[in-house]
Amino acid sequence: MKGLIGILLATVLGTSQPVRGAQAPEATGLAFAVPPPTSNGGQAWKDSHSRALKLLAEMTLQEKISMVTGQRGPCAANSESIERLGIPRMCFQDGPAGVRPALGHTQFPSGITTAATWDVELIYNRSVALAQEFYDMGVHIALGMTTGGPLGRSPYGGRNWEGWYADPYGTGVASFYGTKGFIDVGMQSCAKHYTVYEQETFRNPFNFTEPYSVYKASEQVPISSNVDDKTNHEVYLWSFAEAVRAGTTHVMCAYNSINGTHACANSESNNLHLKGELNFQGALISDWGGTWGTEGFVMGGLDLNLPGLGYGNILGNFYDQELYQMVLNGTIPESRLDDMVVRVLVPLFASGQYDKPIPSTVINSVGAANWPEPAQYRNVQKRSTVELIRKISADGTILLKNTGGLPLKAPKNIAIIGQDAGPNLLGIQGCGKLFRDCDIWNNNGTLSLGGGSGYAWPNNLITPLEAIQAKALETQALVQFVLNNTATNAIDLTITGRALPMGQPDVCLVFAERYVRENMDRNDLSLNIGEWTHSEDIILQTAAKCNNTIVVLHIPGPVIMEAWIDNPNITAVVAPLLPGEQTGPGLVDVLWGHVSPSAKLPFTIAKAEKDYPPNTISYDISVTPQADFTEKLKIDYRWFDSYNITPRFEFGFGLSYSTFAYSEIKSDPTEVPDSTSVQKTNESFVGQQDGQSIYDMVLTITAEITNTGRWTAAEVVQLYVSFPTAENQPPNVLRGFTKLKNMKPDETRTASFPIRRKDVMVWDVVVQKWRYPAEQTVTFRVGSSSRKLPLSLTHRFCH
Ligand SMILES: *[C@@H]1O[C@H](CO)[C@@H](O)[C@H](O)[C@H]1NC(C)=O
Ligand SMILES: *[C@@H]1O[C@H](CO)[C@@H](O)[C@H](O)[C@H]1NC(C)=O
Ligand SMILES: *[C@@H]1O[C@H](CO)[C@@H](O)[C@H](O)[C@H]1NC(C)=O
Ligand SMILES: *[C@@H]1O[C@H](CO)[C@@H](O)[C@H](O)[C@H]1NC(C)=O
Ligand SMILES: *[C@@H]1O[C@H](CO)[C@@H](O)[C@H](O)[C@H]1NC(C)=O
Ligand SMILES: *[C@@H]1O[C@H](CO)[C@@H](O)[C@H](O)[C@H]1NC(C)=O
Ligand SMILES: *[C@@H]1O[C@H](CO)[C@@H](O)[C@H](O)[C@H]1NC(C)=O
Ligand SMILES: *[C@@H]1O[C@H](CO)[C@@H](O)[C@H](O)[C@H]1NC(C)=O
Ligand SMILES: *[C@@H]1O[C@H](CO)[C@@H](O)[C@H](O)[C@H]1NC(C)=O
């Protein structure tokens, strides 16, 4: 949701004079093209659906209206309570890495750090622990799963770190297991932001002026993501299909427009794709300010307008009384309103929250009537959660370079350089502002998460400095640190040991960061930004004089490293990305070799910015800004592979303290019907027979992996598919991964990849179905990264 609203209420919003009910001039056309399908509960929620219908029959028109319009209350959004029907006031709250804004809960590792583990068990366990904290704090609907909006089309994207892999399949797996974790603990979960929400620039919520805008609020309509049907199906819709299949109860539509129609009013993406093809049975809810009208949005598929009357209506006085009148005078059929209400109630039953009320809420969100009075305090962090997130931090730390620097060998003299190693001198609330919405150059202390509504305050953040100090006690090491990146003299003295009797440090650990937040895309991919961070400067300065320099990168996505990566004095580079509040202990586990690193990149790191697809952030300064997705299927590694551009570090790359050998790829054509889908989608394919699903397993590919090194270690084995040339696909697309854990030296294990029909099909825009490639063959490639694929096998499908 909108992170800045609370802070900027007084300043920015007050200055604007938007036209009430303003619609994008082009936001007509498609809006009514596809009528909204009526829900039936799907395979999983039949019983909940009939219970919802019974309650509906008891409701007055006014009650129905208030069920689909957010109400005032303590949470970021609140639904209506109807006591006589036992319907509680439901609490909707951010965010993807912890409950927010509140204290007494965990700051979880970011989506990208968790993605870097490539461990579906950890992805699932993180969701379980995260959902439990939402539950324990009295939140009904966690706005907690970024399931592909953004997916990571642009390396500059301000919110990519909230999500997972710059790849539809990878993000699909994370969306499936991540959503399942929420559902399994009785939390209502929300997949967001639907869809093709790939830039912050010009996202333009209703009645809101972005800091960089040259237009008054609501004059400039949101950026329009213009994406063709094939790309949409094969790249952007994929991970939402997985979230729906896993049983997500809510989907949040995005700020942006799609083909010129607001995402929340786009009947093609909402009614045809989400509720039709994906057969989504829950509620489609708006992002805060994503609603710009009533009729077009109701008929365009939006079920619940949030925050509605919350925030004093400043995000538009839509739905509510206008909807009431429209139902009374027949503009909107009451049957549509009924389905909207049912879609809000079904998840309440399906999650078990109707029958067993959740704990009282301790949230007191921005915009609540009594904000900013402090909320009640309840600490919900469990010891087991701290252990889990430490493991994710360690297993999500990518070893990018190692010429012998790691693991550390009982160093006696350790230098730590960089503000990013230490605590925040300004306290728990980031840089003295809410949500760590710092100005870009004012980063304070170690960067453990990005900013905006995806930020969550830590319960007890252990910095790298603190964890290294504690560890250094074991070797009675000298630990020196400089936490001021511009104190060049102090840094020089420390890394050279000049004028001090113990000489040069055995190891210089340099901490570099790149801050990013919601509401703002990165302007560049450098480590030196503004007046403050100088992260690249301290790397260069240290590497120039310390011949055992180890670089630690707290980054939200790719940064350009060419100025220093080949320097022989840099003996190792690790990237924990944004690891959450166990940042220090997780890092120590890797540096000292308590665990061998096993993480791999969930995005591509280029040698130069120009190597990425061009213009992936549109700065089209017009009242109707446009973003054309011209690279189509070729995002991230697919672009580099298609144009033979050598990246610095490819998607899927990451080193270990051990080494692995790959052999013996095989296929087993035994078919296994889909048993994983909680809800069944309505995706269909050419030649489909009764009872067949696109998620049936049609084949298993296996390969033998041997640990050829001296460390017990884990290996992330990846499978990519190459389609026949005639299909005009990128050379390789990810279609499987598995993590072989705790492999002992010389141990050989089988990596197994279940292949579902959808994994080997393409979207046919003419027949509007999935199909096998025309030549009926695909080649499977197995290896350790998107560019190291030593094994291959070509398979012919008969059907
Ligand atoms: C826009 O926001 C301001 C408060 O910042 C509010 O007074 C005004 O009513 C809002 N306009 C609309 C159309 O909601
Ligand atoms: C995930 O949680 C389960 C249940 O607590 C536990 O048995 C399992 O070891 C955990 N997996 C990982 C990878 O930590
Ligand atoms: C957007 O427009 C393209 C080109 O006309 C079309 O292929 C695609 O299906 C449209 N997508 C949506 C969601 O409207
Ligand atoms: C499900 O798919 C079939 C085949 O494409 C189609 O006829 C049917 O209308 C779809 N159902 C929904 C609810 O969209
Ligand atoms: C129905 O009510 C809406 C909202 O008050 C109004 O804009 C619209 O003109 C009305 N339509 C008819 C046909 O009366
Ligand atoms: C922290 O941020 C503040 C402003 O938010 C800035 O003035 C200051 O220089 C930064 N650094 C430190 C060490 O406080
Ligand atoms: C950091 O060091 C520079 C150079 O010595 C100094 O000007 C600056 O005041 C220092 N900043 C802090 C926060 O101490
Ligand atoms: C590496 O460090 C040594 C000091 O140990 C220094 O003399 C040398 O110039 C450095 N090399 C590079 C390439 O920076
Ligand atoms: C690094 O520098 C130290 C002391 O300055 C020296 O003892 C050591 O041999 C150097 N190592 C390499 C690989 O040059």
Side-chain angles (χ1 to χ4, degrees):
M1 69 161 274
K2 192 71 205 64
L4 294 176
I5 283 174
I7 322 161
L8 297 179
L9 279 183
T11 52
V12 181
L13 286 179
T15 62
S16 55
Q17 295 297 323
V19 187
R20 188 178 175 286
Q23 287 269 355
E26 77 282 34
T28 44
L30 273 176
F32 302 94
V34 187
T38 305
S39 66
N40 59 22
Q43 112 174 331
W45 304 334
K46 283 271 180 286
D47 181 51
S48 301
H49 189 259
S50 48
R51 292 179 73 186
L53 287 177
K54 285 201 189 96
L55 280 199
L56 177 78
E58 304 286 310
M59 283 184 193
T60 65
L61 179 57
Q62 183 53 55
E63 282 171 337
K64 292 179 189 175
I65 296 291
S66 59
M67 284 302 297
V68 299
T69 311
Q71 304 293 311
R72 290 177 194 86
C75 294
N78 310 272
S79 69
E80 181 67 304
S81 75
I82 307 180
E83 276 175 38
R84 77 187 161 81
L85 300 177
I87 300 172
R89 177 173 64 185
M90 290 190 274
C91 171
F92 295 70
Q93 203 69 32
D94 289 333
V99 186
R100 178 212 78 95
L103 292 175
H105 60 80
T106 304
Q107 181 190 72
F108 282 79
S110 63
I112 46 163
T113 293
T114 313
T117 69
W118 299 71
D119 183 343
V120 293
E121 233 181 295
L122 285 179
I123 292 170
Y124 175 82
N125 283 10
R126 172 183 179 275
S127 270
V128 167
L130 179 56
Q132 191 63 51
E133 290 196 358
F134 276 102
Y135 190 95
D136 292 343
M137 293 189 83
V139 176
H140 293 82
I141 296 103
L143 309 175
M145 278 299 296
T146 301
T147 54
L151 184 67
R153 170 182 183 242
S154 174
Y156 304 95
R159 299 184 79 171
N160 293 356
W161 60 273
E162 296 182 30
W164 307 87
Y165 306 82
D167 173 86
Y169 178 89
T171 296
V173 171
S175 298
F176 182 86
Y177 286 98
T179 298
K180 200 159 186 322
F182 277 83
I183 298 300
D184 287 353
V185 297
M187 179 52 48
Q188 302 185 53
S189 81
C190 180
K192 65 185 188 179
H193 303 82
Y194 188 73
T195 185
V196 283
Y197 171 50
E198 296 293 331
Q199 67 172 61
E200 296 299 282
T201 306
F202 300 145
R203 64 182 198 165
N204 297 352
F206 179 78
N207 196 15
F208 195 78
T209 309
E210 300 286 9
Y212 47 76
S213 184
V214 299
Y215 294 96
K216 287 184 189 149
S218 303
E219 268 182 28
Q220 185 187 36
V221 297
I223 186 79
S224 176
S225 295
N226 304 322
V227 58
D228 66 273
D229 191 39
K230 185 173 176 70
T231 303
N232 188 32
H233 276 84
E234 294 184 9
V235 179
Y236 297 99
L237 196 55
W238 185 291
S239 48
F240 284 97
E242 293 289 345
V244 168
R245 216 166 66 76
T248 192
T249 55
H250 293 70
V251 174
M252 183 190 287
C253 49
Y255 287 124
N256 56 281
S257 294
I258 305 162
N259 290 350
T261 303
H262 290 285
C264 293
N266 192 308
S267 74
E268 185 168 352
S269 64
N270 298 336
N271 297 337
L272 183 66
H273 297 153
L274 181 67
K275 293 181 178 179
E277 258 169 64
L278 305 189
N279 197 27
F280 174 58
Q281 295 294 323
L284 180 63
I285 68 177
S286 61
D287 203 341
W288 279 226
T291 311
W292 287 56
T294 297
E295 186 186 357
F297 288 73
V298 169
M299 298 315 288
L302 175 66
D303 300 308
L304 178 52
N305 174 34
L306 297 179
L309 308 181
Y311 300 98
N313 256 352
I314 58 165
L315 292 166
N317 194 16
F318 306 119
Y319 283 46
D320 196 42
Q321 291 317 302
E322 189 171 29
L323 179 55
Y324 188 89
Q325 290 305 324
M326 286 178 167
V327 173
L328 274 188
N329 75 15
T331 304
I332 289 172
E334 189 162 357
S335 58
R336 169 65 186 130
L337 175 63
D338 286 350
D339 190 54
M340 292 154 72
V341 174
V342 167
R343 285 174 179 273
V344 173
L345 290 176
V346 163
L348 177 64
F349 288 114
S351 62
Q353 293 178 3
Y354 182 91
D355 298 316
K356 181 172 179 284
I358 69 168
S360 66
T361 183
V362 288
I363 305 290
N364 189 6
S365 204
V366 182
N370 50 346
W371 171 263
E373 281 166 31
Q376 272 173 278
Y377 177 72
R378 183 186 298 152
N379 196 306
V380 298
Q381 188 177 60
K382 289 184 183 153
R383 183 67 221 166
S384 58
T385 299
V386 177
E387 280 157 24
L388 171 69
I389 65 164
R390 174 180 183 153
K391 184 164 170 52
I392 296 174
S393 295
D395 288 2
T397 294
I398 310 155
L399 180 62
L400 292 173
K401 172 179 177 179
N402 191 13
T403 54
L406 289 178
L408 295 174
K409 295 150 196 84
K412 290 284 190 189
N413 183 354
I414 302 171
I416 295 168
I417 307 298
Q419 62 157 6
D420 178 56
N424 183 348
L425 301 183
L426 295 181
I428 199 164
Q429 295 187 357
C431 45
K433 295 180 184 177
L434 288 171
F435 319 137
R436 199 169 175 148
D437 277 322
C438 316
D439 293 328
I440 194 162
W441 50 88
N442 285 336
N443 246 315
N444 286 263
T446 193
L447 185 65
S448 56
L449 212 57
S453 66
Y455 185 70
W457 289 321
N459 188 45
N460 181 8
L461 186 144
I462 309 297
T463 64
L465 175 63
E466 289 158 331
I468 292 167
Q469 286 180 313
K471 182 66 193 173
L473 287 173
E474 286 174 19
T475 48
Q476 293 164 300
L478 172 73
V479 179
Q480 306 176 73
F481 54 90
V482 181
L483 304 182
N484 178 342
N485 290 7
T486 55
T488 44
N489 287 342
I491 292 174
D492 195 64
L493 276 178
T494 304
I495 62 175
T496 57
R498 202 156 37 87
L500 292 174
M502 67 287 175
Q504 265 208 282
D506 299 330
V507 59
C508 301
L509 293 160
V510 192
F511 287 80
E513 69 190 281
R514 173 74 206 237
Y515 179 69
V516 75
R517 62 164 160 79
E518 176 184 12
N519 192 262
M520 181 183 77
D521 297 304
R522 286 196 276 167
N523 293 322
D524 58 52
L525 303 181
S526 81
L527 278 170
N528 269 352
I529 46 169
E531 294 302 306
W532 179 244
T533 53
H534 297 279
S535 278
E536 182 158 289
D537 292 347
I538 59 169
I539 296 174
L540 293 172
Q541 189 189 349
T542 307
K545 298 210 175 142
C546 178
N547 69 7
N548 189 22
T549 297
I550 294 175
V551 178
V552 179
L553 295 168
H554 289 127
I555 50 177
V559 292
I560 302 301
M561 310 176 171
E562 296 309 300
W564 48 268
I565 189 71
D566 281 331
N567 185 318
N569 286 349
I570 296 181
T571 55
V573 177
V574 292
L577 306 177
L578 302 172
E581 70 175 80
Q582 279 286 302
T583 172
L587 180 66
V588 159
D589 288 343
V590 169
L591 295 184
W592 266 267
H594 304 159
V595 297
S596 170
S598 59
K600 298 199 175 185
L601 281 171
F603 48 79
T604 298
I605 296 178
K607 291 187 171 174
E609 293 191 27
K610 66 168 175 45
D611 292 347
Y612 290 101
N615 308 317
T616 49
I617 301 294
S618 166
Y619 295 98
D620 179 15
I621 304 181
S622 76
V623 289
T624 55
Q626 307 294 314
D628 297 330
F629 285 32
T630 51
E631 74 293 332
K632 299 190 173 177
L633 307 177
K634 297 170 190 160
I635 63 165
D636 200 78
Y637 68 92
R638 297 149 162 240
W639 176 268
F640 289 77
D641 291 350
S642 299
Y643 297 105
N644 239 327
I645 302 163
T646 306
R648 170 49 67 176
F649 297 116
E650 73 270 19
F651 179 88
F653 172 83
L655 298 168
S656 163
Y657 293 156
S658 200
T659 50
F660 297 90
Y662 283 65
S663 62
E664 280 190 69
I665 187 166
K666 284 191 197 144
S667 67
D668 169 3
T670 310
E671 291 198 16
V672 183
D674 173 35
S675 61
T676 59
S677 295
V678 174
Q679 284 288 26
K680 279 209 188 316
T681 72
N682 193 31
E683 294 161 278
S684 54
F685 56 91
V686 174
Q688 186 162 13
Q689 287 164 19
D690 271 0
Q692 284 185 332
S693 155
I694 199 164
Y695 294 102
D696 294 342
M697 197 176 94
V698 289
L699 186 70
T700 304
I701 302 290
T702 57
E704 300 299 306
I705 316 300
T706 305
N707 182 346
T708 51
R710 297 197 319 271
W711 282 77
T712 295
E715 171 72 337
V716 174
V717 187
Q718 299 157 48
L719 174 140
Y720 293 78
V721 165
S722 301
F723 287 96
T725 329
E727 297 297 340
N728 201 15
Q729 290 277 331
N732 295 317
V733 295
L734 181 72
R735 285 293 189 263
F737 60 86
T738 182
K739 189 161 191 171
L740 304 178
K741 301 176 206 174
N742 290 314
M743 284 185 67
K744 305 223 159 37
D746 296 328
E747 185 180 342
T748 295
R749 226 184 276 167
T750 305
S752 182
F753 303 94
I755 308 296
R756 309 160 308 175
R757 273 196 191 88
K758 193 174 179 182
D759 300 330
V760 283
M761 288 187 160
V762 294
W763 177 252
D764 191 310
V765 296
V766 178
V767 296
Q768 289 287 296
K769 287 180 180 184
W770 295 86
R771 63 162 172 79
Y772 282 118
E775 291 169 37
Q776 297 192 23
T777 61
V778 300
T779 298
F780 297 99
R781 300 185 199 284
V782 172
S784 60
S785 83
S786 62
R787 292 208 158 205
K788 294 195 190 68
L789 298 167
L791 308 179
S792 70
L793 178 151
T794 298
H795 184 85
R796 171 168 294 276
F797 293 95
C798 344
H799 57 103

